[in-house]
Amino acid sequence: MQIVGHTTQQVVYAASRRRPFRINELLLIEDRIHSNSNPLGEVVETQSFNRYIPLATEHSDLVDRQVMENLAQLGYDIGADTIHLARIRILAELASPVSVGIAVRVPTFAEIRDFLIPRDPATGLVLGVIRGTEELTVGLPAQLSRVALLYQKDSGIMPQKGIPYIMDHWTWPEYPHIGIFGGSGSGKSFALRVLLEELMRQQLPGLILDPHFELSFTEPFPDLPASYREDFTRRSIVLMAGRDVGILFEELNAADLINLLQAAGEVTENMNNAIQTLHRRRDSFVSFSTRIRDLTRGLEEEQDLKRKLREDDGDGFREKQEIRRILGLVEKYKDRVGHVSTLRAISRRLNRLQTERIFTGGIEPIREAIMNRRLVVVQGPIWFLQVLGAYVIRKFYRERRQYQDAEQTGGEAPKFPPFIVATDEAHNFAPRSPEIPAPARSILRTIAQEGRKYGVFLILATQRPALLEDTITAQLNTKLIFRTIRSSDLEVIREETDLGPEEVRRLPYLGSGNAFVSSAAVGRTIAVRIRVAKTVSPHSRHPFLELKEDFIPPEEELGEALLTYLPLGDFNFDVHLGTLQQELKRRITIEEITCCLEDLVGEGIVEKKEMVLGVEYRRRED
Amino acid sequence: MLALDQGLQELLITVNSLLRDRTQNYPRRDAIRRYLREKIGTLQKRAPLKIDALRALADGRPLIGVDGSVHSYGTVFPHIIYCFRALASASTLSVEKGISRVDLFYPEMADHRREIEEIISQAAAGGEELAPETAAARAVRQRLAVLEVQVAMEAVNKYQPFAVLFDGGFLRYGGLAPAQWQEYRELSLAKDVVSIGIIEEIGTFDLARKVSAGFPEASPFSCDRELLFGILKKGEWLAVKEDLEFKKTYYTCFARPGYYPGAVAYDFFQEQTRRAAEFVPLLFGLTPQGGRGIPQWLDQVDAAVRITRGEMELLLASGLDRELRERLFVSQRERRTL
């Protein structure tokens, strides 16, 4: 292998007769001019060609296969005249171009160790293997082997081939936040799972918003070797929004409440004013909604109520007092809350949140998990998570900030640890378009911009990076990019990462589980294959398999059952009907049974005989 | 762009009508085919090449392809440098790993000047007056032929092949390198190596003359190439009768191995005339159907041996002083920029 053709400080071409180049492999360039250390290069494009078997053009036809086969019979090896070419990007800053003609070789592990392994697997996040380092697997020291097993759909679990890719989370205060981009089926969700597993291994506390109900870590990945298994049950907790966690209404201020209501529907300027006017500190859901209900009634029936108050019809004192209270509300707020319809709209939104059980429970379980350095996964419908997430994140971020500021200024504030916020479908939580209401957008943007000071980091996964708020996108210092097809998303990736044109060209064709990691901390793009996860999503069963296993059509179920009662006939139908109904837990008619038995006769499983006592069905003997 | 002169177009039309008149008067295709069958030889359909037959023929030995190329540099005689390269490659190796030889000819070198003078005096003895340029051109052709035959001989000795394919007819070797060619002929016959000259551009007239004689009323064909165009069917070859000696001591047959309607010719040594029936199917099997009619291996040797302009320039830049190059060799034509 040697350097050929034109060279520059950044890009060179290498040619080889014997060895095809591998995409992304690292090669050592034995340059004498830059002698103190041989520069490393990464293969970014490969080609093989044979000048004796040209492409079909108008001047030359394709060479017939038969001709090549006959030549092969005469001992010709086509490979002997094949030339392999590689475009190599140099991973160092050189002062002058690389000399032409010098040798290129595969480096030894020792030569690139410092370059590729920023940390020990024990203290870093082992996400997968670095592609193109397969040849170096043999020389790997024990602590770097078998730390990132791989998975292939057809072949199952596979050994680690290559040098592990270890993400150095200790660089996060300098280079915070992670983006995971990729279309469906690209391996994005799998990567998020692997990354979260690594967070748990390092006991980094995190709040995970899981709109897909898939991020639980109790079920081990099937067929993993015992040495590779890891139990995360004690390091994570799954909470259901609206059942285990919710928002305490009493803790809301008017602004919080408006944010929340926005998630349930548009909040107009009038509604905004009305809420500002009507909400009082420490209001409970009941006190607030009652106030609105009474005021609505008062506005609607003002004349009626006043008349009732005037009439002395002997009605009870209590009712009059109630009417007075309502009219008092009307008096107080009449000119400040606008029309009745505004109040009604507020009520509707409030009720929707209530029905969704947003105001059920509190966020204490989440806080407890974070304090205990666990990963807390909150599952729920996406809009609920938007509301709850915005609230919790804002609250925790504030507490964390207060604690750290107090630490620095010598003040007093309750302890709160650094933590990580992660979510899939991030473009829903922080959409780029300001038109789309998103309660969590502003807090996520704040964390993106200044979270690193307080040790609060984001992990945002999305299949539509183009729809993610752009200030946030710009702050994601590390991006894992999986297969991406949409041109608008590719455009964002082109702008926001250091992926070269060759890599962007490859993005639409990346295999599932393969990604480019563009990281400001490393300063270059690394091609990575994500390791196999140690856990699986509880509902990863194929929906059609589920249909087959759990939703057996009634006639099939009945048929199965009937076979165990054969022989059957007019003479014993009524004998078995009772037990049969008990077994299948439903009502069954004689007609249904006859019909089912006839089907079985048609399928050739059962045969039908005319007997003295009528028809008899028995299992067909072959 | 300057419009093509009207006069030129009219002149071309005259040429066209002349040719049209003549071709209209040619015998019909089936008549020619009948004549070929009756008087010249047999028209044989391609028999598919069986792997076993191929193996039996080769018997574990390789096939050799031989070709040469020459590239000249300079414009005004005698300041022209000729670079030669000949290559004989065995099918068991990469084309580029064959036996290759290079040579150079420059009329100003003492030896080479003597060579030119010798050619002139030989011609004078035969009553021919040769200009030194013409003599030099012949010397160049001779050298190339000698070089090719030399690598062929080396290859036969080194690789023990079962067959050697030459790019071009045997007449050229016999005429330009008689001594070496005789030596090669004896060597290859002794080793039972079958030699075949593949002729892409048939330049002979004998067949045309013979066929035209059979059709006295029709216009005569000008050359074999014209006669055979479109006459053979795809995958067909004309096995010329052994007693029809077109070329002395060689046996030639004609074939159409692919889609292209023109024919190619295969030269054999007369002693190996009988081998043609075995080897033509092999040649067919090695020739891409969509190509020019040249066996693939020979095509690869041809591509490998060719001295390209770029190579030549690199060579000269490293070997000749720039000042000398500019003074003697670089033509004004090369300085054109339009």
Side-chain angles (χ1 to χ4, degrees):
Chain A
M1 293 189 282
Q2 63 172 13
I3 299 291
V4 295
H6 286 261
T7 69
T8 68
Q9 303 95 288
Q10 289 112 31
V11 175
V12 296
Y13 289 88
S16 156
R17 266 190 185 280
R18 245 171 287 134
R19 181 179 176 282
F21 292 94
R22 276 212 203 92
I23 193 86
N24 297 124
E25 75 177 326
L26 293 171
L27 296 173
L28 203 77
I29 299 163
E30 297 187 311
D31 193 347
R32 289 181 204 95
I33 293 180
H34 311 91
S35 57
N36 39 359
S37 71
N38 291 326
L40 262 183
E42 182 180 6
V43 174
V44 290
E45 224 175 276
T46 58
Q47 254 183 46
S48 294
F49 73 93
N50 188 323
R51 57 181 281 230
Y52 300 109
I53 305 169
L55 288 174
T57 65
E58 54 179 320
H59 301 298
S60 69
D61 203 1
L62 273 181
V63 178
D64 320 10
R65 207 166 56 92
Q66 192 56 51
V67 168
M68 294 318 295
E69 273 170 20
N70 289 340
L71 258 184
Q73 286 300 323
L74 297 179
Y76 182 54
D77 168 20
I78 296 174
D81 283 316
T82 300
I83 292 175
H84 308 287
L85 266 186
R87 190 176 142 87
I88 299 178
R89 193 162 55 209
I90 299 189
L91 303 175
E93 260 186 275
L94 301 184
S96 55
V98 172
S99 336
V100 177
I102 54 172
V104 173
R105 64 173 168 84
V106 176
T108 62
F109 174 69
E111 281 168 320
I112 51 172
R113 183 194 174 106
D114 293 346
F115 194 76
L116 294 181
I117 313 260
R119 289 202 88 80
D120 222 41
T123 59
L125 312 179
V126 184
L127 298 188
V129 296
I130 299 173
R131 292 180 70 195
T133 60
E134 291 81 356
E135 273 180 57
L136 300 169
T137 313
V138 186
L140 278 183
Q143 89 263 25
L144 291 175
S145 322
R146 292 179 62 78
V147 295
L149 299 191
L150 301 176
Y151 177 77
Q152 182 96 41
K153 204 167 179 197
D154 305 318
S155 6
I157 312 243
M158 299 191 306
Q160 168 186 333
K161 278 205 99 181
I163 297 179
Y165 169 68
I166 301 168
M167 184 185 274
D168 185 1
H169 61 283
W170 294 84
T171 62
W172 285 0
E174 253 179 293
Y175 302 102
H177 316 310
I178 295 174
I180 304 178
F181 302 156
S184 44
S186 65
K188 169 187 56 115
S189 306
F190 207 79
L192 181 60
R193 170 174 292 275
V194 168
L195 184 53
L196 296 178
E197 285 177 2
E198 290 298 308
L199 297 186
M200 286 188 275
R201 218 164 51 85
Q202 300 298 329
Q203 288 186 281
L204 308 178
L207 165 63
I208 321 302
L209 303 176
D210 175 19
H212 298 318
F213 297 86
E214 63 183 11
L215 289 172
S216 67
F217 299 90
T218 47
E219 208 159 306
F221 198 96
D223 305 327
L224 277 187
S227 60
Y228 193 70
R229 265 181 237 154
E230 206 161 344
D231 182 14
F232 295 113
T233 41
R234 292 160 58 87
R235 298 210 170 161
S236 66
I237 176 171
V238 176
L239 298 173
M240 210 60 85
R243 188 192 71 194
D244 308 321
V245 283
I247 296 168
L248 287 183
F249 197 92
E250 290 79 355
E251 292 187 355
L252 295 174
N253 57 31
D256 286 341
L257 184 57
I258 291 164
N259 269 336
L260 285 183
L261 290 182
Q262 259 168 356
E266 195 195 357
V267 175
T268 62
E269 198 53 42
N270 284 341
M271 290 159 71
N272 196 329
N273 287 339
I275 297 167
Q276 298 276 9
T277 311
L278 294 173
H279 185 262
R280 289 186 201 142
R281 262 198 80 200
R282 310 296 304 166
D283 245 342
S284 72
F285 178 78
V286 176
S287 65
F288 183 69
S289 56
T290 312
R291 189 172 310 123
I292 289 187
R293 196 192 60 212
D294 290 347
L295 184 57
T296 313
R297 184 178 166 208
L299 288 171
E300 277 175 336
E301 304 172 11
E302 192 178 353
Q303 299 313 320
D304 234 19
L305 291 172
K306 280 185 177 160
R307 199 188 61 238
K308 257 192 187 158
L309 205 57
R310 280 196 301 275
E311 282 167 8
D312 192 16
D313 54 4
D315 262 348
F317 172 74
R318 292 184 68 90
E319 196 190 338
K320 290 233 163 100
Q321 203 174 22
E322 178 71 11
I323 291 173
R324 264 190 217 100
R325 192 177 60 78
I326 290 176
L327 287 174
L329 280 175
V330 172
E331 204 58 42
K332 187 169 175 190
Y333 296 115
K334 191 177 179 180
D335 302 328
R336 293 198 278 155
V337 297
H339 196 252
V340 176
S341 61
T342 304
L343 296 180
R344 284 238 186 74
I346 294 173
S347 286
R348 272 200 301 276
R349 283 158 183 64
L350 212 48
N351 285 334
R352 171 152 184 227
L353 294 183
Q354 168 71 356
T355 338
E356 297 283 355
R357 307 167 63 87
I358 280 203
F359 305 116
T360 306
I363 58 171
E364 273 321 298
I366 307 181
R367 181 198 307 277
E368 195 187 313
I370 298 262
M371 297 299 275
N372 293 335
R373 295 182 61 175
R374 291 162 92 185
L375 211 59
V376 49
V377 181
V378 180
Q379 299 184 332
I382 194 149
W383 77 272
F384 194 155
L385 291 181
Q386 287 182 354
V387 176
L388 181 66
Y391 175 75
V392 178
I393 297 168
R394 189 169 286 127
K395 196 166 174 61
F396 287 179
Y397 184 62
R398 195 189 306 136
E399 288 181 32
R400 169 66 190 158
R401 214 166 54 184
Q402 282 165 355
Y403 169 64
Q404 188 159 326
D405 289 346
E407 282 281 283
Q408 274 163 11
T409 57
E412 279 285 324
K415 236 175 152 182
F416 202 93
F419 65 98
I420 289 154
V421 174
T423 177
D424 204 346
E425 309 295 347
H427 62 278
N428 282 317
F429 290 90
R432 165 177 254 165
S433 160
E435 319 280 292
I436 304 171
R441 175 168 37 211
S442 66
I443 181 61
L444 288 177
R445 187 166 45 209
T446 308
I447 294 179
Q449 286 170 325
E450 54 175 47
R452 63 166 147 189
K453 280 191 284 185
Y454 303 104
V456 179
F457 305 106
L458 299 174
I459 297 174
L460 301 178
T462 175
Q463 42 180 317
R464 298 303 320 277
L467 300 184
L468 186 63
E469 217 271 348
D470 35 10
T471 326
I472 296 179
T473 314
Q475 296 291 338
L476 301 172
N477 274 271
T478 302
K479 298 182 184 80
L480 277 69
I481 298 145
F482 290 82
R483 182 173 60 231
T484 305
I485 293 162
R486 251 178 241 260
S487 59
S488 57
D489 294 330
L490 287 171
E491 191 53 45
V492 169
I493 289 165
R494 206 172 289 137
E495 277 172 23
E496 296 287 346
T497 67
D498 56 1
L499 256 67
E502 300 90 359
E503 282 130 2
V504 173
R505 266 204 300 278
R506 281 169 61 198
L507 276 180
Y509 310 105
L510 274 190
S512 184
N514 290 340
F516 289 114
V517 181
S518 159
S519 166
V522 182
R524 67 189 179 94
T525 299
I526 304 176
V528 168
R529 177 158 183 74
I530 300 296
R531 70 163 169 81
V532 64
K534 298 181 177 182
T535 54
V536 280
S537 156
H539 56 80
S540 53
R541 188 159 50 140
H542 193 285
F544 297 158
L545 191 65
E546 185 187 338
L547 269 184
K548 198 174 162 195
E549 288 170 355
D550 294 1
F551 296 86
I552 302 159
E555 64 277 6
E556 215 169 279
E557 197 182 32
L558 178 61
E560 293 273 307
L562 284 177
L563 288 179
T564 61
Y565 289 91
L566 293 176
L568 281 165
D570 295 335
F571 60 92
N572 65 352
F573 277 155
D574 47 347
V575 181
H576 294 308
L577 194 59
T579 35
L580 204 55
Q581 294 199 40
Q582 260 174 21
E583 188 181 328
L584 299 185
K585 300 188 187 79
R586 66 185 176 96
R587 239 183 74 79
I588 297 163
T589 60
I590 300 285
E591 286 72 39
E592 204 181 332
I593 292 176
T594 328
C595 202
C596 188
L597 283 169
E598 286 297 326
D599 282 349
L600 291 172
V601 171
E603 286 168 36
I605 299 167
V606 166
E607 59 186 351
K608 180 178 173 184
K609 284 226 170 88
E610 297 286 343
M611 308 293 276
V612 189
L613 291 172
V615 184
E616 186 184 313
Y617 297 89
R618 50 174 71 239
R619 192 179 267 276
R620 193 176 164 140
E621 319 259 332
D622 280 331
Chain B
M1 208 166 102
L2 193 65
L4 255 186
D5 197 78
Q6 179 102 44
L8 206 49
Q9 197 181 4
E10 274 162 21
L11 287 172
L12 267 176
I13 291 172
T14 325
V15 172
N16 191 52
S17 61
L18 171 94
L19 288 173
R20 168 96 47 81
D21 286 350
R22 206 165 78 194
T23 52
Q24 266 175 355
N25 232 342
Y26 278 157
R28 287 158 51 92
R29 183 183 190 226
D30 44 356
I32 297 175
R33 285 176 62 85
R34 202 178 321 120
Y35 187 86
L36 289 177
R37 271 199 297 265
E38 283 165 6
K39 304 276 172 137
I40 308 291
T42 51
L43 289 172
Q44 304 203 9
K45 272 296 302 157
R46 146 196 212 135
L49 179 66
K50 298 237 168 63
I51 292 288
D52 291 342
L54 177 60
R55 284 207 188 123
L57 211 54
D59 194 21
R61 293 170 297 167
L63 175 75
I64 302 283
V66 177
D67 197 5
S69 89
V70 55
H71 197 104
S72 67
Y73 186 67
T75 39
V76 183
F77 185 83
H79 298 300
I80 303 177
I81 295 177
Y82 298 90
C83 291
F84 304 89
R85 181 157 69 190
L87 177 67
S89 299
S91 59
T92 37
L93 296 168
S94 156
V95 201
E96 291 167 23
K97 294 240 172 77
I99 291 169
S100 89
R101 279 200 183 192
V102 292
D103 197 3
L104 182 140
F105 185 80
Y106 178 47
E108 284 293 90
M109 278 162 83
D111 288 5
H112 298 170
R113 199 183 308 149
R114 262 200 300 286
E115 216 172 302
I116 294 174
E117 279 158 12
E118 227 163 84
I119 290 172
I120 294 179
S121 59
Q122 269 174 18
E128 201 183 352
E129 203 59 52
L130 277 190
E133 290 95 318
T134 323
R138 185 175 296 176
V140 165
R141 291 208 307 279
Q142 283 178 356
R143 277 178 170 263
L144 183 63
V146 168
L147 215 57
E148 285 179 41
V149 178
Q150 279 173 343
V151 291
M153 247 181 307
E154 252 184 83
V156 166
N157 281 324
K158 183 167 175 190
Y159 300 121
Q160 312 294 337
F162 74 102
V164 180
L165 305 184
F166 289 88
D167 190 8
F170 285 175
L171 283 176
R172 181 174 144 254
Y173 298 112
L176 294 172
Q180 290 85 351
W181 186 240
Q182 185 54 35
E183 198 185 331
Y184 170 79
R185 181 175 189 145
E186 282 162 15
L187 174 75
S188 62
L189 289 174
K191 290 192 169 246
D192 193 29
V193 176
V194 176
S195 307
I196 307 161
I198 312 290
I199 305 164
E200 182 181 13
E201 298 281 359
I202 303 174
T204 49
F205 305 91
D206 312 277
L207 194 61
R209 251 176 242 146
K210 231 175 189 100
V211 173
S212 298
F215 297 92
E217 276 90 67
S219 332
F221 289 102
S222 59
C223 59
D224 293 358
R225 176 194 157 105
E226 189 191 18
L227 166 75
L228 287 170
F229 191 88
I231 294 299
L232 298 180
K233 292 177 182 167
K234 177 173 164 275
E236 201 173 47
W237 65 287
L238 173 61
V240 177
K241 284 183 199 161
E242 284 177 41
D243 50 350
L244 286 179
E245 264 184 42
F246 285 130
K247 298 174 187 169
K248 278 178 208 127
T249 74
Y250 305 131
Y251 170 75
T252 306
C253 60
F254 302 91
R256 179 183 164 190
Y259 296 106
Y260 180 67
V264 295
Y266 302 137
D267 276 357
F268 292 83
F269 287 133
Q270 199 158 40
E271 294 86 338
Q272 293 174 331
T273 304
R274 298 275 164 92
R275 309 297 297 270
E278 287 172 272
F279 273 80
V280 172
L282 168 77
L283 294 172
F284 276 16
L286 292 176
T287 306
Q289 304 222 348
R292 301 174 294 142
I294 300 295
Q296 174 70 18
W297 187 243
L298 203 53
D299 229 10
Q300 289 186 206
V301 176
D302 175 54
V305 75
R306 211 175 296 143
I307 302 173
T308 63
R309 199 189 153 82
E311 266 182 296
M312 189 78 183
E313 265 163 23
L314 231 110
L315 259 172
L316 289 164
S318 57
L320 267 189
D321 286 351
R322 183 168 177 91
E323 191 243 318
L324 292 175
R325 245 191 311 150
E326 289 289 336
R327 192 195 300 202
L328 294 172
F329 298 102
V330 178
S331 66
Q332 291 299 342
R333 180 181 282 266
E334 282 176 45
R335 297 208 180 86
R336 285 184 196 173
T337 52
L338 285 179

